[in-house]
Amino acid sequence: KTGYLQVHLYRPFSLDHFLKELPSTVKKVTVLDRTKESGALGDPLYLDVCAAFIDSEIHPKVLAGRYGLSSKDVTPAQMIAVYNNMILDKPKNHFTVGINDDLTHLSLAVGEEVDLATDGTISCKFWGLGSDGTVGANKNSIKIIGDYTDMYVQAYFEYDTKKSGGVTKSHLRFGKTPIRSSYYVKKANFIACHNASYINKYDIVSDIKNNGIFLLNCSWQGKELEENLPASVKRALAKKNIQFYVIDATKAAKEIGLGNRTNIILQAAFFKLANVIPVPQAIEYMKDAILKSYGKKGDKVVNMNYAAIDQGVNGAQKIEIPANWIEAVDATADVATNENLPDFIKNILIPINAQQGDDIPVSAFAAMADGTFPMGTSAYEKRGVAVDVPKWNADHCIQCNQCSYVCPHAAIRPFLLTEEETAAAPQGYDTKKAN
C-alpha cells in the first residue's frame, strides 16, 4: 500500500531511473524537501518531481512537504504523520512536519513516538554536563562494545551551545542486527542523569521504557532523596516499574583526586547495570583504554582512574520505589512569579532552557520577526548546575578583576565605593582597600 523512494542523485535528475522505481499504480506522492525556497511555487525537489510526472504516463496527486528544518530531529512519528496526511480526502499541501505552525496552520499533527528498534537492540541516553567527561566516556563505551563483541553499535551526541558547562546528551544504541535508526533515542532501556540539578529542570525520565533502568548521580540519601525528586519523576518511575539506582560519583571523584571528572566512575556503573558484556571483561577493557589514554601521564594518574572503575562498579545503590510514589502530587508552582515575567522570557527563553525549544509554536516568534534577542536575558537564566560555588576571598585578592571578566552571568562585579557608601553597606558586605 505504501512505499518510500530515496533520491541519491538530485541533479542531473534521472527521469528513467525515477519512473523505473516508481510503481505505475501509485495514486498519491508526497515530496519531502529539507529546504525552503522563498518566492518559488514549490521547493526544488517537489518542482522537479512535478515536471517528471508531466513527462510520464502516470499522473498521481503530488503533495509537497518540508521536514527537518534547522537541523531538527526527524522521527518515525513525523513520517507516520506524512502518510496519514495522504489518506485524507483533503490532504494538506505545502505543509511542514516537526514544527507547530499555528499561524499558517499548514503543519501536520504528530502522534506519539513509536519504538521501531529490532528485538534485542538496547537504547541508552545519558544527560551530562559539558566538560564533565560524559561524552568522552560514552565514545569509549561504544568503542569497547563495538571492538570486543559481535554487536552493531551507534552513537550520536547533542551539544548545548554553551559548550563547557552546558547540557550534553549522548544517544547510544547497540544490538545483534544492523541499526538503521537515524534519529535521537526516544525510547530508552537505560537512562543516566549525571548532574543532580537536571532532574528538576528537564524532562528526563519520560523517555524510559517500561522496566528500564534509571541511574541518577546525586548526593541525596533516604529522606533527602524523597524530598528532592519531583513528583513527576516519582510517578513515572512507579508507573513504568523502573529499576532506580543512585550513585554519588561527584564525592567519589573528589576523594580519588579526579576533581569534577566523574566520567570513568559513571561509565563503570553503566557497564555494571546495563550488563551489555560481562562485568569482569568490561573492567579489563576499560583499564586497557585508560592505560592507552593516560599511560604517558604516569602511574599515579592511571591508578586514580583504576580506582574510579572500582567506585563505579560498587558504588551504585538500588532504591526500592515506594508504592505511594505512583500518586505523588506536584508542588504548587509560583504562578505569580511566572506571570510577572516578560513575554519573551516566559514564552521563548524558559522553554528553550528546558530543552523544549522544538515545541515552541511559530506564533511565539511573531513579536521578534527580525530574529533578534532582547538584551539582559541572562538575569533570568540562573541554572544552578555547579556542584561548588566560588566565593570571593579578600585575603587572596590582588584586584586584577579577571574574576568579573570571565564570570558568564556577571554574578561577580567589582565596585569602587566612597567612604559614605562603605559606611552604609549592609552587614556582611566585605570590602578591601583599593590599590
Side-chain angles (χ1 to χ4, degrees):
K1 291 289 183 182
T2 58
Y4 165 75
L5 188 60
Q6 171 75 49
V7 178
H8 286 282
L9 176 63
Y10 173 46
R11 285 180 181 167
F13 193 100
S14 174
L15 183 60
D16 293 339
H17 287 88
F18 177 70
L19 296 175
K20 179 184 174 185
E21 297 299 332
L22 201 73
S24 59
T25 54
V26 68
K27 299 287 191 299
K28 290 180 183 176
V29 172
T30 295
V31 183
L32 292 177
D33 277 273
R34 199 161 190 167
T35 185
K36 214 173 174 182
E37 189 154 0
S38 300
L41 288 173
D43 297 324
L45 182 60
Y46 167 73
L47 293 179
D48 281 20
V49 169
C50 288
F53 284 126
I54 289 173
D55 289 337
S56 73
E57 294 180 358
I58 57 173
H59 302 286
K61 182 175 180 62
V62 185
L63 304 173
R66 292 172 181 150
Y67 76 107
L69 296 183
S70 189
S71 298
K72 285 187 188 296
D73 190 34
V74 183
T75 66
Q78 293 178 21
M79 294 302 103
I80 291 170
V82 171
Y83 282 104
N84 288 341
N85 181 60
M86 281 193 277
I87 297 170
L88 300 176
D89 293 333
K90 292 183 179 180
K92 288 184 179 180
N93 197 8
H94 299 286
F95 62 80
T96 300
V97 64
I99 294 174
N100 178 11
D101 189 350
D102 54 350
L103 292 183
T104 67
H105 302 289
L106 287 176
S107 55
L108 300 185
V110 177
E112 261 195 61
E113 290 300 336
V114 293
D115 184 17
L116 298 182
T118 53
D119 288 341
T121 299
I122 298 173
S123 302
C124 307
K125 190 172 179 180
F126 300 80
W127 291 71
L129 182 73
S131 80
D132 72 352
T134 294
V135 170
N138 285 321
K139 286 180 179 177
N140 277 337
S141 296
I142 214 77
K143 285 176 187 172
I144 287 171
I145 296 166
D147 290 344
Y148 296 105
T149 74
D150 60 352
M151 285 191 269
Y152 293 87
V153 297
Q154 180 196 68
Y156 188 81
F157 304 94
E158 276 184 272
Y159 300 93
D160 194 327
T161 50
K162 293 182 179 68
K163 300 294 184 183
S164 179
V167 180
T168 64
K169 285 182 263 183
S170 306
H171 303 263
L172 271 57
R173 292 184 178 98
F174 34 89
K176 298 289 185 182
T177 54
I179 297 165
R180 300 175 60 242
S181 306
S182 54
Y183 44 87
Y184 298 150
V185 170
K186 300 288 186 184
K187 302 284 184 181
N189 303 87
F190 180 97
I191 288 187
C193 177
H194 290 184
N195 189 292
S197 70
Y198 288 177
I199 204 70
N200 287 291
K201 291 180 174 62
Y202 310 122
D203 180 13
I204 292 176
V205 295
S206 65
D207 290 341
I208 310 181
K209 293 180 182 179
N210 291 340
N211 306 311
I213 300 172
F214 177 49
L215 174 65
L216 175 63
N217 174 31
C218 69
S219 60
W220 305 324
Q221 297 286 338
K223 188 179 178 182
E224 197 179 7
L225 180 67
E226 174 98 24
E227 291 171 352
N228 283 285
L229 279 184
S232 59
V233 173
K234 292 176 184 175
R235 289 195 300 269
L237 295 178
K239 285 178 182 175
K240 296 183 176 184
N241 190 32
I242 302 301
Q243 297 180 55
F244 180 30
Y245 294 85
V246 297
I247 185 171
D248 194 351
T250 307
K251 180 183 177 184
K254 285 184 178 180
E255 289 174 349
I256 294 168
L258 291 172
N260 67 341
R261 306 290 286 187
T262 57
N263 54 331
I264 300 295
I265 299 170
L266 292 163
Q267 182 188 18
F270 160 68
F271 275 116
K272 171 73 179 294
L273 299 177
N275 202 23
V276 188
I277 50 181
V279 176
Q281 290 181 27
I283 292 173
E284 181 187 336
Y285 301 148
M286 286 178 68
K287 287 185 175 180
D288 289 344
I290 285 168
L291 192 60
K292 189 175 180 181
S293 299
Y294 304 116
K296 292 180 181 177
K297 296 189 177 182
D299 290 343
K300 184 181 178 182
V301 173
V302 170
N303 289 329
M304 281 195 297
N305 282 280
Y306 284 174
I309 293 175
D310 296 333
Q311 289 280 2
V313 169
N314 302 315
Q317 297 178 351
K318 187 170 185 179
I319 305 297
E320 295 301 330
I321 297 175
N324 63 354
W325 277 17
I326 202 165
E327 298 170 349
V329 179
D330 293 308
T332 306
D334 190 354
V335 178
T337 303
N338 284 341
E339 288 301 321
N340 293 331
L341 293 174
D343 287 344
F344 179 84
I345 303 300
K346 191 164 48 179
N347 300 328
I348 295 179
L349 189 73
I350 289 176
I352 287 175
N353 283 343
Q355 300 289 308
Q356 294 172 352
D358 284 341
D359 300 331
I360 301 174
V362 172
S363 60
F365 297 96
M368 47 175 291
D370 59 351
T372 56
F373 253 57
M375 299 292 284
T377 58
S378 63
Y380 301 93
E381 203 184 348
K382 307 302 181 189
R383 297 184 300 142
V385 295
V387 176
D388 299 309
V389 180
K391 185 175 185 293
W392 179 58
N393 189 328
D395 295 334
H396 295 172
C397 180
I398 60 171
Q399 301 182 29
C400 65
N401 284 341
Q402 286 194 46
C403 57
S404 65
Y405 177 70
V406 299
C407 182
H409 286 89
I412 303 174
R413 302 187 185 192
F415 292 99
L416 281 173
L417 305 182
T418 63
E419 289 183 5
E420 293 80 9
E421 287 170 332
T422 306
Q427 187 177 3
Y429 190 90
D430 296 334
T431 58
K432 184 173 183 176
K433 185 172 175 59
N435 59 15

